[in-house]
Amino acid sequence: MSILQYFENKILNCITLSVLIIFLWCYIYNRMDSVSWSTPVSYESDTIGVMAVAKAYSEGDFSYFSTKYAKRLNAPFEANWNDYPKEEMYYAFQGILVKLFGLYPGMNIGLLLAHILAGATFWFVGNWFGYNRSLLFAFSILYAFTPYIFWRGMVHILLSYYFVIPVFWMVLCIAVKDEFTLNGRLWILILLVLFFACNFSFYYTIVFMQLFSIILVMHIIKKNHNKTKYFILSVIATSVIAFVLTNFGYFWTKITLGSNFSAAVRNIDGLEVYGLKLIELFATPQNTIGYFNEFWMKQYHEQPMIIRGEIGSGYIGIVGILGLTTMICYNLYFLCLKKIENTSMSFWISIWILFYSLIGGLNHFLGVFGFTFMRGTNRFSIIILTLSFYFLVEQLSKQQFRRYALLFSVVIVLAGIFDQFPAEKVSHERILETKAEIQADIDLVETLEQELPEGSMIFQLPVMEYPEVPPIHKIDSYQPFRPYINSNYLRFSYGSIKGRTRELWQHKIKNLNSDETVFELERFGFSVLLINKDGYADNAAELKSMITNTGKEVMYEDTDGRYIAFKLNPETIPDKPKDTGIFITFLSGWSIDEGLQRWSISNKAKIELYNTKKNGIGEVHFQIVSLIPRKIEVYFNNQLITEFIQESNLVNHIDIEKLSFISGKNIIRFETDKPPQNPGTDDLRELSFCVIRFESNIINN
């Protein structure tokens, strides 16, 4: 049968399956009218970040094979989005949906397509293997609505595009055979499909590339001389090419601007928090129904834990558990008979996934040596679920069970729906709540856009870095994108990937007094100071009072109390903030961060000046004050550069120029001849001297 005939024979069944998935999705998420479709399923955390990237794509800020700079973010510059690897094909695809249908309907369609693609690819690959159609139809429905996709949803929508896993599984089954039967056209078609799949998910791709590499080694050891080895090499090469092309901007920026080690912070703790727990394959999530949920709530979810992680994300469902249990029993039986040739590949792959993914497993072990990028191994539970589904449908498709296929299909669908679907569909009230939250952001933006010319710049407080940073009071990561995604032509200060010195000026602004803040922002050309009051314990009452005292008028304050916007008078020909090229980190010997000043609590104190540029000439400026007279020596990279007698309570301005900075770490060390003293006030600390407004920059490299 030709490829064309194969798809012609299956397309009607696939359309039927897709229509059923659409109906079930619309029912579960209660998307039955224009109001609900214009309201996204999620309007929080990571979803906002995805919306921002999709919006930038839809506005034509960049294309798939290009460097990524968002033009309306990180004002007065552009937002650099090249320092963090992304699955750019998904974002480009989502950007098209946003351009065609609008931001929020486009996001809903994107999530719906994740469900459809999951079911459709499971169906096509199962047909490729020749499984029973009624059983395959039932399993495809459940695969489109796994507990995993409900847990990840729109918040982790990239992980919801797990439709690539059946594709990888099919290719893996081809690669493991000793006899190679693919013709040239089918070979090329598979590589094209893989190129597309690799661009949608790095996580799933990396795991399967491990498996392809293992199989390649097996073929080499067995000295197979057929084309299979070359096929596997072409598969691995395709995945590498896909990764490099989709991250052209990442690699180009790494070459031209140097590495940015602060963009994606990964550590050994993350491997424990987001690692796979074996028990969570079986523990039902908290939003399901029935006895099993009550049991797991009492015995697991409600119990105190040192590491909670993403509880509920790894559950593979009753049908998945049945498939996994069947797989284990089947293969252990043949292992006991010493008939290893009768064991299934899915069994050994599941063992590898567990060996690699479990907390304390291979990935955790590699993390000890600094390989911490693959922190979220709990995500590989969906691979185990996929293999369990395919194994079970394969066994039930055998000749002795075929007369019961329809019965099994009905039972499996009913059991799966009862177990996997949410206990309640999304309520109309919840949709209206999300709609109202969005409308508040739209009201803000519409007010600003009515009064401001196109391209006006908005400075956002509190200053928040991007991406993956802790909350600031009640502001979650990515929330500052919300005004941007609802605007048409305004520019915002938030949104460039952290770790570059060009954006350090924003952190200096937040430490200035109100008059200096307003002066600097107007000098840089900002038209509005936008404060999110959720970022302050006092609801920004003190900050509002301080800015009001500068004479600036409030141009917007919403009724629910989130935003307040002050109108500024930008310079006609504004300056741009200076890129110092230096990251300043206070090391040993200093008190806690006090904003513009830091007290030394020792007779020795160090500051790291990390030069992100090449070797060059730089300078250091600061003010210093002491409680008592003392001699102070200042060293730069272990060389004495200045010494002076600091009188008590006298502010001394220190300017040190023509310092030879090396690329990377440079150390400023302060030493004093007298120990720290108690200030004799309510402050119980022992203090030596205070450094105020410490600044450093590269002037020539």
Side-chain angles (χ1 to χ4, degrees):
M1 180 185 295
S2 69
I3 297 174
L4 183 60
Q5 289 174 324
Y6 172 80
F7 280 103
E8 285 177 347
N9 291 337
K10 310 302 180 185
I11 197 69
L12 183 60
N13 289 324
C14 188
I15 291 174
T16 304
L17 174 65
S18 299
V19 170
L20 181 56
I21 291 171
I22 292 171
F23 172 78
L24 290 172
W25 188 91
C26 290
Y27 173 77
I28 293 167
Y29 287 103
N30 197 10
R31 260 56 189 180
M32 298 293 187
D33 54 41
S34 59
V35 173
S36 58
W37 268 99
S38 63
T39 306
V41 168
S42 171
Y43 193 63
E44 59 183 350
S45 61
D46 290 25
T47 304
I48 307 298
V50 172
M51 289 178 177
V53 181
K55 186 174 183 69
Y57 261 107
S58 72
E59 294 182 347
D61 285 0
F62 37 74
S63 60
Y64 175 62
F65 296 114
S66 70
T67 52
K68 309 298 188 293
Y69 290 95
K71 297 177 181 177
R72 296 201 294 115
L73 291 167
N74 192 41
F77 306 105
E78 296 176 335
N80 172 17
W81 283 350
N82 298 291
D83 284 327
Y84 196 90
K86 283 186 170 68
E87 290 87 342
E88 296 295 345
M89 184 169 286
Y90 160 75
Y91 287 109
F93 171 67
Q94 187 64 64
I96 293 173
L97 293 177
V98 169
K99 191 174 184 65
L100 292 175
F101 302 102
L103 179 59
Y104 301 129
M107 290 299 299
N108 284 333
I109 293 171
L111 179 58
L112 172 59
L113 285 174
H115 288 259
I116 294 173
L117 288 170
T121 52
F122 191 92
W123 163 261
F124 271 113
V125 171
N127 269 283
W128 181 280
F129 289 119
Y131 299 148
N132 180 275
R133 291 186 182 180
S134 62
L135 285 166
L136 191 56
F137 195 90
F139 276 89
S140 297
I141 293 172
L142 297 187
Y143 194 70
F145 295 99
T146 59
Y148 181 88
I149 200 170
F150 284 123
W151 202 98
R152 298 296 178 182
M154 190 178 285
V155 174
H156 294 160
I157 194 167
L158 282 164
L159 300 178
S160 296
Y161 275 82
Y162 56 80
F163 75 93
V164 301
I165 297 175
V167 176
F168 281 127
W169 170 242
M170 180 187 70
V171 179
L172 203 64
C173 290
I174 295 172
V176 78
K177 293 179 180 179
D178 290 335
E179 295 184 6
F180 189 78
T181 58
L182 293 181
N183 59 47
R185 290 183 179 180
L186 190 55
W187 187 335
I188 294 173
L189 177 62
I190 287 175
L191 293 183
L192 289 174
V193 172
L194 277 179
F195 179 85
F196 179 79
C198 291
N199 273 281
F200 262 84
S201 174
F202 298 154
Y203 260 91
Y204 306 139
T205 299
I206 288 173
V207 170
F208 277 96
M209 289 309 111
Q210 295 171 3
L211 297 170
F212 280 115
S213 300
I214 293 171
I215 292 173
L216 177 62
V217 172
M218 290 172 57
H219 281 296
I220 293 173
I221 292 173
K222 292 164 66 176
K223 297 183 179 180
N224 290 333
H225 298 291
N226 55 37
K227 295 181 180 178
T228 305
K229 290 182 291 186
Y230 302 107
F231 174 70
I232 297 173
L233 286 171
S234 69
V235 167
I236 295 174
T238 298
S239 68
V240 172
I241 292 170
F243 180 80
V244 172
L245 288 180
T246 196
N247 285 286
F248 167 78
Y250 170 76
F251 290 108
W252 179 253
T253 303
K254 193 178 182 71
I255 293 170
T256 56
L257 298 181
S259 298
N260 182 353
F261 298 107
S262 299
V265 178
R266 297 287 187 267
N267 50 48
I268 199 84
D269 292 346
L271 302 184
E272 296 181 354
V273 173
Y274 301 105
L276 180 63
K277 298 179 183 178
L278 183 62
I279 191 174
E280 294 208 351
L281 298 176
F282 310 96
T284 61
Q286 300 182 44
N287 63 336
T288 53
I289 58 179
Y291 168 78
F292 291 109
N293 184 55
E294 294 179 5
F295 171 81
W296 285 108
M297 285 292 294
K298 182 178 180 181
Q299 300 296 330
Y300 184 65
H301 293 300
E302 295 176 354
Q303 297 298 319
M305 301 179 194
I306 296 176
I307 302 174
R308 296 198 69 85
E310 296 177 323
I311 290 183
S313 65
Y315 180 56
I316 62 175
I318 290 176
V319 178
I321 292 171
L322 177 62
L324 181 60
T325 304
T326 305
M327 182 201 302
I328 293 171
C329 294
Y330 176 93
N331 287 276
L332 287 179
Y333 170 76
F334 284 109
L335 286 175
C336 290
L337 295 178
K338 298 182 180 180
K339 295 183 177 180
I340 192 171
E341 68 276 6
N342 290 344
T343 57
S344 65
M345 185 169 68
S346 56
F347 173 72
W348 297 109
I349 290 177
S350 297
I351 290 177
W352 171 260
I353 295 296
L354 292 173
F355 172 69
Y356 178 78
S357 305
L358 288 175
I359 296 176
L362 178 60
N363 188 59
H364 202 168
F365 181 77
L366 293 174
V368 175
F369 300 96
F371 298 97
T372 56
F373 186 77
M374 293 285 289
R375 65 175 181 177
T377 53
N378 58 1
R379 300 163 182 184
F380 302 143
S381 64
I382 188 61
I383 301 178
I384 294 176
L385 184 151
T386 305
L387 299 178
S388 300
F389 271 23
Y390 273 128
F391 183 85
L392 188 56
V393 74
E394 178 185 6
Q395 299 306 310
L396 294 177
S397 295
K398 290 181 176 179
Q399 187 65 41
Q400 61 266 38
F401 298 119
R402 286 198 173 181
R403 66 165 64 181
Y404 307 110
L406 185 59
L407 175 62
F408 286 153
S409 301
V410 173
V411 172
I412 285 169
V413 165
L414 293 178
I417 288 176
F418 178 81
D419 173 58
Q420 295 180 187
F421 282 34
E424 297 178 354
K425 69 176 184 178
V426 175
S427 67
H428 186 63
E429 290 74 18
R430 178 179 167 186
I431 293 173
L432 292 179
E433 288 175 3
T434 304
K435 188 75 173 177
E437 195 169 0
I438 294 171
Q439 190 59 49
D441 293 337
I442 293 175
D443 291 342
L444 162 70
V445 170
E446 286 182 345
T447 300
L448 297 181
E449 290 188 335
Q450 286 172 3
E451 297 192 29
L452 299 173
E454 183 173 343
S456 295
M457 297 191 298
I458 317 297
F459 188 84
Q460 297 168 268
L461 284 177
V463 173
M464 195 173 198
E465 292 184 323
Y466 164 80
E468 296 182 349
V469 294
I472 299 178
H473 198 52
K474 294 187 290 184
I475 297 181
D476 291 330
S477 186
Y478 312 116
Q479 188 174 323
F481 275 134
R482 284 168 52 164
Y484 162 70
I485 63 176
N486 289 290
S487 67
N488 296 309
Y489 54 76
L490 296 176
R491 301 177 63 193
F492 296 86
S493 61
Y494 174 73
S496 195
I497 290 178
K498 64 181 185 289
R500 298 288 179 188
T501 55
R502 188 181 64 172
E503 284 69 55
L504 289 178
W505 71 273
Q506 294 194 21
H507 294 277
K508 294 179 180 178
I509 287 287
K510 72 180 183 181
N511 290 324
L512 300 176
N513 62 46
S514 55
D515 289 314
E516 292 174 322
T517 297
V518 169
F519 174 79
E520 290 293 296
L521 292 180
E522 292 181 338
R523 184 167 70 90
F524 295 145
F526 283 88
S527 300
V528 173
L529 173 59
L530 178 62
I531 300 170
N532 188 331
K533 292 187 277 190
D534 285 347
Y536 300 88
D538 65 346
N539 212 29
E542 181 180 358
L543 179 58
K544 177 183 177 182
S545 175
M546 292 169 60
I547 301 299
T548 301
N549 290 338
T550 65
K552 298 303 173 183
E553 64 175 281
V554 175
M555 64 181 302
Y556 179 85
E557 187 167 12
D558 56 2
T559 54
D560 66 358
R562 169 168 291 156
Y563 295 114
I564 179 170
F566 287 93
K567 190 170 185 179
L568 305 178
N569 299 311
E571 293 285 347
T572 305
I573 305 177
D575 293 332
K576 278 198 173 182
K578 186 177 181 180
D579 181 3
T580 65
I582 300 293
F583 275 113
I584 300 172
T585 305
F586 285 78
L587 302 176
S588 59
W590 299 99
S591 65
I592 60 173
D593 190 358
E594 297 178 73
L596 294 176
Q597 65 181 35
R598 292 289 286 267
W599 278 95
S600 169
I601 54 176
S602 173
N603 59 349
K604 293 183 180 180
K606 294 181 180 180
I607 300 175
E608 178 185 286
L609 307 180
Y610 192 94
N611 176 18
T612 60
K613 302 179 183 296
K614 299 177 182 178
N615 295 351
I617 304 301
E619 54 191 18
V620 170
H621 307 278
F622 59 90
Q623 302 167 28
I624 192 166
V625 66
S626 175
L627 297 174
I628 61 173
R630 62 176 68 243
K631 179 182 178 182
I632 296 177
E633 299 174 339
V634 183
Y635 295 81
F636 179 75
N637 291 339
N638 292 320
Q639 292 186 350
L640 180 66
I641 54 175
T642 187
E643 57 182 339
F644 51 89
I645 301 297
Q646 178 63 40
E647 301 295 337
S648 61
N649 298 318
L650 177 66
V651 178
N652 196 359
H653 295 261
I654 306 297
D655 299 295
I656 307 171
E657 301 176 342
K658 297 183 179 179
L659 294 174
S660 296
F661 280 78
I662 60 173
S663 180
K665 293 182 180 180
N666 298 267
I667 301 296
I668 287 277
R669 187 176 77 252
F670 292 84
E671 293 189 7
T672 180
D673 59 338
K674 295 179 181 178
Q677 308 286 324
N678 186 285
T681 62
D682 293 337
D683 192 339
L684 301 179
R685 295 175 297 174
E686 301 286 325
L687 306 175
S688 292
F689 53 87
C690 180
V691 169
I692 306 167
R693 294 181 182 270
F694 188 94
E695 297 178 353
S696 179
N697 61 279
I698 299 294
I699 58 176
N700 179 20
N701 66 339

